Amino acid sequence: MEFLRFENTNFSREWQLNTRGKLFTISAPQVMGIVNCTPDSFYKSSRKSDLEDQRLLIDLHVKNGATWLDIGGYSTRPGAEHISEKDEIERIKSALAYALETYPEIKLSVDTFQAEVANYVLEQGAHLINDISGGLIDSDLFSVVAAFQVPYVLMHMRGTPQNMSGLNHYENILRETIYELGIQKEKAIQAGIKDIIIDPGFGFAKNSEQNLELFSKLEAFHLFDCPLLVGISRKSMIYKTLGIGAEDSLNGTTVLNTLALEKGASILRVHDVKEAVEAVNIWEKVRT
C-alpha cells in the first residue's frame, strides 16, 4: 500500500488548536509533563498520591520547560485495577486546581477515558482530554469533548487496561493500527470534535517487538493530517529491550524521543521534562 512508504520528516507543519475559543499554536515540538496522581503507575517514581508531591512535580515540570501538563488519576498499566469516576476525580482534583491557579499560562491535559471525569475537569478549566481508549470505552466521551470545544488526543488501544495485553494479535500492526484509529477519528469528527491529536498508543495492546516495529514506521501516521503525540517515556519497549528496569530507562527514552522528533512528532509526553526539552532544543539547532 502506497501510504505506508514515507521518508523521515522533520517538523515543518504549524498546527493551530482551538482551546475553549482561543487559538493555540504548535509551531515547534512541545513537551508534555506527566503528573500521575496514582498509587500504582508502572513507573514507581512517577506515583504522586500526596498533594505536596504533586505540587512539587508540577512546579518542576513548569520550571523545566513543559508546555503541557498531563494530569491523570487512573493507572493504565497492563492489569491495573479499575476505579470509579468518583475515585478518579478525587485523585486529581487538588492537583488540577493547583495547576490551574498557579500556572494559568500552562496548557492542562487530563488523561481520562471516562466521560464524567472529562466533564468535571473541563468545567474546572482543563484545555485538553487525553483518551487512551480513543473513545472505545465510554461512548459519551466524544460528546463531552465536543461540547467544550477543546482538543482531543485520540490514542490507539484495544480493550481495557485490564485485558489489553491479550489483544495484541495483528497480521500487520501498522495497517491495523491506522485502520482502527481511522474509524475512531471519523466517529470523533461526526460527534463534533474539531481538533484531534493522534497517538499510536505505544505499550497498549502491543508487545515490545510490535511497539518497536510501529515506532520505526512512525511517519505513516502523518496521513491523518493531525499533530502527532508520542508517549514512550520509560516504557517496556525500552527497558525490556535493554534488559533493565523503568528506573534506568531515561537514556533509552531520550534516544527514542530524538528519533520521534526526526519522524515529525509534535508533542513528546514524558516523565522527565528537562531531558526532553534539552533534546528538542539540541535537535532544533542541528536539523536542516
Side-chain angles (χ1 to χ4, degrees):
M1 298 177 68
E2 289 301 318
F3 69 77
L4 299 184
R5 299 174 184 170
F6 283 80
E7 300 297 327
N8 280 4
T9 306
N10 283 339
F11 191 98
S12 60
R13 175 73 182 273
E14 180 174 284
W15 303 97
Q16 289 193 326
L17 305 178
N18 181 350
T19 57
R20 312 177 78 99
K22 296 182 180 179
L23 286 180
F24 174 72
T25 301
I26 300 178
S27 57
Q30 299 177 347
V31 173
M32 174 183 282
I34 298 169
V35 182
N36 281 330
C37 305
T38 59
D40 57 343
S41 294
F42 81 91
Y43 174 37
K44 185 176 180 180
S45 295
S46 74
R47 302 170 189 171
K48 306 296 180 185
S49 298
D50 179 78
L51 176 56
E52 184 59 27
D53 288 341
Q54 293 166 6
R55 289 176 173 175
L56 289 172
L57 180 60
I58 289 169
D59 292 344
L60 181 64
H61 282 343
V62 174
K63 175 185 176 182
N64 286 338
T67 302
W68 300 84
L69 296 173
D70 190 43
I71 298 174
Y74 190 117
S75 175
T76 55
R77 63 176 175 80
E81 179 183 354
H82 175 72
I83 63 171
S84 69
E85 292 93 333
K86 180 180 178 181
D87 288 342
E88 187 178 349
I89 290 171
E90 189 64 29
R91 284 182 178 181
I92 65 176
K93 66 180 184 181
S94 295
L96 179 67
Y98 175 76
L100 286 167
E101 180 179 354
T102 310
Y103 300 107
E105 74 281 8
I106 299 297
K107 295 300 180 184
L108 292 180
S109 164
V110 172
D111 182 358
T112 187
F113 54 80
Q114 303 195 97
E116 183 179 332
V117 179
N119 189 74
Y120 170 81
V121 300
L122 292 173
E123 283 183 342
Q124 303 308 304
H127 303 100
L128 178 147
I129 295 298
N130 180 13
D131 175 15
I132 63 160
S133 81
L136 288 171
I137 294 180
D138 191 335
S139 59
D140 294 328
L141 187 59
F142 284 163
S143 60
V144 170
V145 174
F148 282 89
Q149 296 184 8
V150 295
Y152 172 75
V153 176
L154 175 68
M155 197 192 83
H156 177 267
M157 179 184 178
R158 290 176 173 176
T160 68
Q162 290 72 40
N163 66 13
M164 64 182 177
S165 294
L167 300 175
N168 62 351
H169 303 291
Y170 303 86
E171 291 186 9
N172 184 306
I173 189 167
L174 179 61
R175 285 194 180 97
E176 291 172 59
T177 299
I178 286 176
Y179 175 74
E180 291 166 18
L181 275 173
I183 292 173
Q184 294 308 111
K185 182 188 176 189
E186 183 59 30
K187 290 180 180 178
I189 291 171
Q190 292 299 319
I193 297 177
K194 305 297 184 184
D195 294 311
I196 295 173
I197 298 166
I198 293 292
D199 181 347
F202 296 107
F204 291 81
K206 305 169 188 72
N207 62 34
S208 295
E209 293 75 16
Q210 291 166 337
N211 286 318
L212 291 170
E213 179 183 351
L214 199 63
F215 187 91
S216 73
K217 300 169 182 175
L218 188 62
E219 299 94 332
F221 291 90
H222 294 303
L223 66 87
F224 287 110
D225 196 30
C226 295
L228 181 60
L229 184 148
V230 172
I232 48 82
S233 183
R234 295 182 180 267
K235 287 186 175 179
S236 62
M237 62 187 288
I238 299 169
Y239 64 77
K240 287 184 178 180
T241 299
L242 298 176
I244 55 178
E247 299 286 340
D248 299 316
S249 298
L250 177 56
N251 187 54
T253 297
T254 301
V255 170
L256 285 188
N257 277 336
T258 305
L259 291 172
L261 295 173
E262 277 294 292
K263 293 172 177 288
S266 298
I267 301 173
L268 302 176
R269 181 180 181 272
V270 301
H271 298 95
D272 308 280
V273 169
K274 178 177 181 290
E275 290 79 1
V277 169
E278 289 176 349
V280 171
N281 289 340
I282 292 293
W283 175 80
E284 286 191 303
K285 292 292 185 182
V286 301
R287 74 188 179 102
T288 56

